[in-house]
């Protein structure tokens, strides 16, 4: 959307929009100053900070008059408010805003065209961008590329977008067996509410009494997620899986601190972990201690125990993905969680692959104290997946192109008090950690997708999704097994919801690389699965016995 906005408007269009916004902001500033209010920021583009005490009123007086007119101003303190205009604001809106100040000050109103005289007094027009940001205004050209200077009519833009769309392979052509961050099935029915103004038109900081519907939806989503993940409380604030990991580890840290165990700073992480796990641990200041993997890709419990005991005085956490990033359910997961608990640590179960569990077991049940799930993943209802390959759903939010996402964390009751809050609109537990997202409920506007997905499928449907994911992945593994090296399976020869196909032998025997397989799949109109999965970085060669 942002790219097409830039293509459509081009540099001239953007300048014009900026000029209009700035011009209207100046007019408003002058107008409110004429009533005795003081604009305290002298250099501005689209935002005014207004001291209302100079006109003998309080910020509360102004806010209550504004709300009566259907307008929210930004609360700053008891004598100051903030107003930001954007291109959607027109002269009538400006008059409405001005009249809020007028009513508070003198109980009078002006007619819709009254501000025109302010504008002409200031010899302002909509494209004026001079004072008071003249010294900041850009004078060099920008967006000189042809694409930003060519498609400025609706038909031109439509044709350009269609031209791009025709190059694409998308869900309208077939399934996309890519990795975790890619959409596979995002039902239209769960996406539709996104375009409703009741969801899309609410500002993240809107007063809570104006967003009761949102509050109900978020509460229901959090409760449903707690139920299906096996936890006691959930926060949807984190914007991604990685952000969930960070939030979850902060919660663990706060828990240890409240038990006078704040010195605990060792985080055990298996070699099979997704790269975000050690990165998140490092971000909260934990020391990462890797745990070995066995040749079949599963956790080395002996190594885990050794390290948990060795670090027992400083053990903060163990991060483990279940089922693992190698596409197997670790048989020893419950034992692993017990080992960590026995040595004073908390267990973070990375639930990015939870699509293989929902309705069948749960992240909480296998022993986690806290987990994130990735709502911005996919529901592999139609076909399981391949990773050279992939992993799973979980709750239907499209994530192609990298955003936006929701990585909610579920916690057991002893961690619930520490769920994150927000400085503007408090959320979370009774002794919360600070916000992990710019907005109180993170990417709230897309929560409607997962809410609808869960409500439409219900318990039975969600369980069926998990079964299909497992069945499909195992079907593919079984069919390919005679010809390909399915790298990791459990002791029954089964994979979880995904599988890794090791193509190394073909490079040796026939000079064929992974990319050759991808291209050949494309010849048959299949989207290739995620390729070049760097197994070697997960299982060092000295710990890996190909024959077994
Ligand atoms: C196992 C696992 N953990 C964590 C993440 C991180 O999630 P996100 O990409 O939303 O930050 C992913 C994403 O692919 C994942 O597969």
């Amino acid at each position: 959307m942002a790219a097409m906005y830039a293509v459509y408007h081009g540099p001239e269009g953007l300048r014009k929009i900026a000029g209009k916004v700035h011009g209207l902001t100046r007019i408003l500033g002058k107008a409110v100053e004429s009533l005795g209010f003081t604009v305290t920021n002298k250099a501005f583009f689209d935002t005014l900070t207004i001291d209302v005490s100079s006109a003998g009123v309080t910020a509360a007086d102004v806010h209550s008059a504004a709300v009566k007119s259907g307008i929210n101003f930004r609360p700053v303190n008891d004598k100051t408010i903030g107003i930001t205009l954007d291109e959607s604001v027109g002269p009538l809106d400006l008059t409405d805003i001005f009249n809020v100040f007028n009513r508070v000050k003198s109980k009078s109103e002006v007619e819709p065209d009254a501000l025109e005289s302010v504008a002409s007094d200031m010899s302002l027009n909509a494209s004026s961008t001079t004072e008071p940001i003249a010294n900041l205004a850009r004078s060099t050209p920008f967006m000189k590329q042809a694409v930003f200077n060519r498609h400025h009519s609706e038909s031109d833009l439509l044709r350009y977008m269609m031209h791009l769309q025709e190059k694409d392979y998308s869900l309208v052509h077939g399934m996309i067996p890519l990795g975790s961050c890619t959409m596979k099935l995002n039902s239209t029915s769960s996406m539709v509410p996104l375009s409703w103004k009741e969801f899309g038109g609410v500002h993240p900081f809107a007063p809570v009494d104006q967003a009761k519907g949102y509050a109900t939806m978020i509460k229901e989503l959090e409760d449903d997620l707690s139920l299906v993940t096996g936890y006691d409380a959930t926060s949807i604030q984190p914007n991604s899986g990685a952000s969930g990991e960070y939030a979850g580890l902060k919660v663990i840290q706060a828990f240890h601190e409240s038990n006078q165990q704040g010195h605990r700073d060792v985080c055990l992480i298996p070699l099979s972990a997704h790269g975000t796990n050690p990165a998140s641990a490092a971000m909260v200041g934990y020391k990462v201690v890797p745990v070995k993997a066995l040749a079949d890709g599963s956790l080395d419990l002996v190594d885990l125990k050794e390290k948990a005991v060795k670090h027992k005085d400083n053990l903060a956490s163990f991060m483990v993905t279940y089922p693992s990033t190698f596409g197997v359910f670790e048989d020893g997961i419950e034992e692993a969680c017990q080992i960590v608990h026995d040595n004073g640590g908390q267990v973070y179960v990375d639930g990015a692959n939870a699509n293989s569990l929902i309705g069948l077991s749960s992240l909480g049940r296998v022993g986690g104290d806290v987990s994130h799930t990735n709502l911005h993943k996919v529901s592999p209802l139609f076909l399981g997946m391949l990773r050279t390959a992939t992993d799973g759903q979980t709750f239907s939010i499209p994530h192609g192109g990298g955003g936006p996402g929701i990585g909610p964390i579920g916690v057991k009751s002893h961690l619930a008090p520490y769920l994150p809050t927000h400085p503007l609109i408090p959320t979370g537990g009774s002794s919360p950690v600070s916000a992990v997202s710019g907005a109180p409920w993170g990417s709230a506007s897309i929560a409607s997708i997962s809410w609808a997905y869960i409500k439409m499928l219900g318990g039975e449907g969600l369980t069926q999704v998990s079964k299909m994911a497992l069945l499909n992945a195992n079907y593919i593994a079984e069919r390919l097994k005679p010809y390909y090296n399915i790298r990791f399976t459990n002791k029954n020869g089964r994979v979880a919801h995904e599988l890794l196909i090791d193509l190394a032998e073909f490079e040796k025997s026939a000079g064929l690389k992974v990319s050759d397989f991808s291209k050949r799949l494309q010849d048959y109109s299949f989207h290739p699965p995620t390729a070049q999965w760097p197994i070697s970085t997960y299982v060092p060669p000295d710990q890996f016995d190909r024959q077994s």
Side-chain angles (χ1 to χ4, degrees):
M1 279 200 260
M4 289 308 134
Y5 181 90
V7 167
Y8 178 66
H9 291 294
E12 281 323 303
L14 291 185
R15 265 188 211 285
K16 231 184 187 152
I17 290 168
K20 174 192 159 187
V21 170
H22 181 56
L24 291 177
T25 312
R26 290 183 62 198
I27 293 171
L28 182 65
K30 279 280 174 235
V32 296
E33 286 200 317
S34 73
L35 296 174
F37 297 90
T38 309
V39 174
T40 59
N41 57 326
K42 295 304 171 202
F44 56 80
F45 168 55
D46 60 357
T47 298
L48 301 173
T49 306
I50 301 169
D51 177 353
V52 299
S53 66
S54 59
V57 300
T58 65
D61 297 331
V62 180
H63 288 303
S64 90
V67 167
K68 280 189 197 127
S69 304
I71 299 170
N72 293 318
F73 294 147
R74 183 166 57 90
V76 177
N77 57 38
D78 55 7
K79 57 178 195 152
T80 315
I81 62 154
I83 298 179
T84 299
L85 305 184
D86 68 15
E87 72 194 88
S88 71
V89 172
L92 290 181
D93 302 307
L94 210 62
T95 310
D96 286 346
I97 297 171
F98 180 62
N99 271 332
V100 170
F101 289 89
N102 234 338
R103 235 177 291 129
V104 173
K105 183 71 204 308
S106 60
K107 318 273 182 259
S108 66
E109 306 242 338
V110 297
E111 292 304 312
D113 56 2
L115 292 183
E116 270 173 28
S117 63
V118 181
S120 59
D121 280 356
M122 294 165 64
S123 14
L124 257 182
N125 60 50
S127 58
S128 154
T129 54
T130 51
E131 296 281 309
I133 52 162
N135 58 344
L136 299 175
R138 180 173 186 151
S139 56
T140 50
F142 60 100
M143 287 163 66
K144 291 188 285 183
Q145 296 83 351
V147 70
F148 296 119
N149 293 283
R150 196 174 267 171
H151 312 287
H152 300 320
S153 79
E154 185 178 324
S155 317
D156 283 344
L157 184 71
L158 190 77
R159 286 176 189 140
Y160 176 59
M161 285 164 67
M162 193 64 198
H163 164 78
L164 294 181
Q165 189 180 320
E166 279 171 344
K167 294 184 181 195
D168 202 7
Y169 180 98
S170 77
L171 286 177
V172 302
H173 303 98
M175 67 92 71
I176 303 178
L178 266 183
S180 51
C181 292
T182 318
M183 54 172 133
K184 291 165 195 89
L185 174 69
N186 307 108
S187 70
T188 304
S189 47
S190 62
M191 302 282 284
V192 164
L194 276 185
S195 58
W196 297 347
K197 72 176 183 346
E198 289 81 358
F199 289 114
V202 180
H203 193 279
F205 301 147
V208 282
D209 62 352
Q210 292 175 25
K212 289 185 183 150
Y214 250 115
T216 303
M217 180 188 71
I218 289 167
K219 168 93 177 62
E220 288 188 14
L221 178 60
E222 288 181 342
D223 288 352
D224 286 349
L225 288 170
S226 294
L227 188 70
V228 297
T229 55
Y231 284 107
D232 300 311
T234 292
S235 161
I236 68 156
Q237 191 183 89
N239 287 116
S240 70
S243 160
E245 292 165 22
Y246 175 75
L249 292 177
K250 290 298 278 181
V251 163
I252 289 176
Q253 211 166 35
F255 168 78
H256 285 313
E257 273 161 18
S258 77
N259 290 323
Q260 284 71 52
Q261 295 287 309
H263 62 278
R264 291 185 173 271
D265 65 353
V266 169
C267 189
L268 301 176
I269 303 184
L271 286 161
S272 60
H274 191 265
T276 47
N277 288 188
S280 302
M283 277 180 69
V284 303
Y286 281 171
K287 295 186 187 109
V288 175
V289 174
V291 179
K292 288 181 193 164
L294 294 175
D296 64 359
S298 63
L299 246 185
D300 184 337
L301 287 175
V302 175
D303 191 51
L304 174 71
K305 190 162 190 178
E306 232 172 76
K307 288 178 174 152
V309 170
K310 179 171 169 203
H311 296 286
K312 71 176 183 333
D313 294 335
N314 294 315
L315 185 59
S317 178
F318 168 53
M319 295 183 90
V320 59
T321 306
Y322 190 73
S324 80
T325 306
F326 288 158
V328 281
F329 288 107
E330 311 268 7
D331 278 338
I333 185 75
E334 284 163 315
E335 193 185 337
C337 296
Q338 193 58 51
I339 291 171
V340 173
H341 285 142
D342 289 347
N343 288 284
Q346 291 283 293
V347 178
Y348 188 104
V349 180
D350 179 329
N353 303 334
N355 63 309
S356 49
L357 291 180
I358 303 277
L360 302 173
S361 181
S362 73
L363 300 161
R365 187 170 166 183
V366 299
D369 298 295
V370 46
S371 290
H372 78 267
T373 44
N374 297 50
L375 302 195
H376 46 281
K377 298 215 170 164
V378 288
S379 1
L381 269 174
F382 293 148
L383 209 75
M385 46 296 269
L386 305 159
R387 183 189 237 163
T388 34
T390 77
D391 63 19
Q393 85 169 316
T394 3
F395 289 95
S396 186
I397 297 173
H399 195 35
I406 307 181
I409 49 170
V411 293
K412 293 271 174 67
S413 57
H414 64 285
L415 295 181
Y418 311 104
L419 285 174
T421 186
H422 190 276
L424 293 187
I425 299 182
T427 60
S430 50
S431 316
V433 299
S434 51
V436 297
S437 160
W441 290 282
S443 312
S445 70
I446 52 170
S448 59
I449 306 175
S450 299
W451 181 91
Y453 175 82
I454 292 175
K455 296 295 183 199
M456 284 192 286
L457 280 172
E460 232 172 83
L462 289 172
T463 311
Q464 183 68 2
V465 171
S466 306
K467 289 181 181 172
M468 290 301 286
L470 297 174
L471 200 58
N472 288 333
N474 278 286
Y475 173 80
I476 292 175
E478 204 58 32
R479 291 293 300 267
L480 295 182
K481 204 163 68 182
Y483 317 103
Y484 292 93
N485 177 7
I486 307 300
R487 185 64 139 71
F488 301 117
T489 56
N490 72 3
K491 64 177 187 304
N492 301 320
R494 294 284 174 231
V495 295
H497 61 303
E498 65 177 334
L499 55 138
L500 276 75
I501 305 167
D502 188 349
L503 299 169
E505 64 197 83
F506 295 98
E507 188 165 359
K508 277 189 217 133
S509 61
L512 289 172
K513 295 201 164 82
V514 172
S515 55
D516 295 314
F517 283 82
S518 297
K519 286 179 183 161
R520 192 64 177 141
L521 280 164
Q522 285 175 21
D523 289 343
Y524 286 97
S525 295
F526 287 109
H527 194 292
T530 302
Q532 310 286 16
W533 186 250
I535 295 174
S536 55
T537 63
Y538 288 94
V539 185
D542 61 329
Q543 289 162 34
F544 174 56
D545 171 11
R546 181 181 296 276
Q547 297 317 310
S548 70

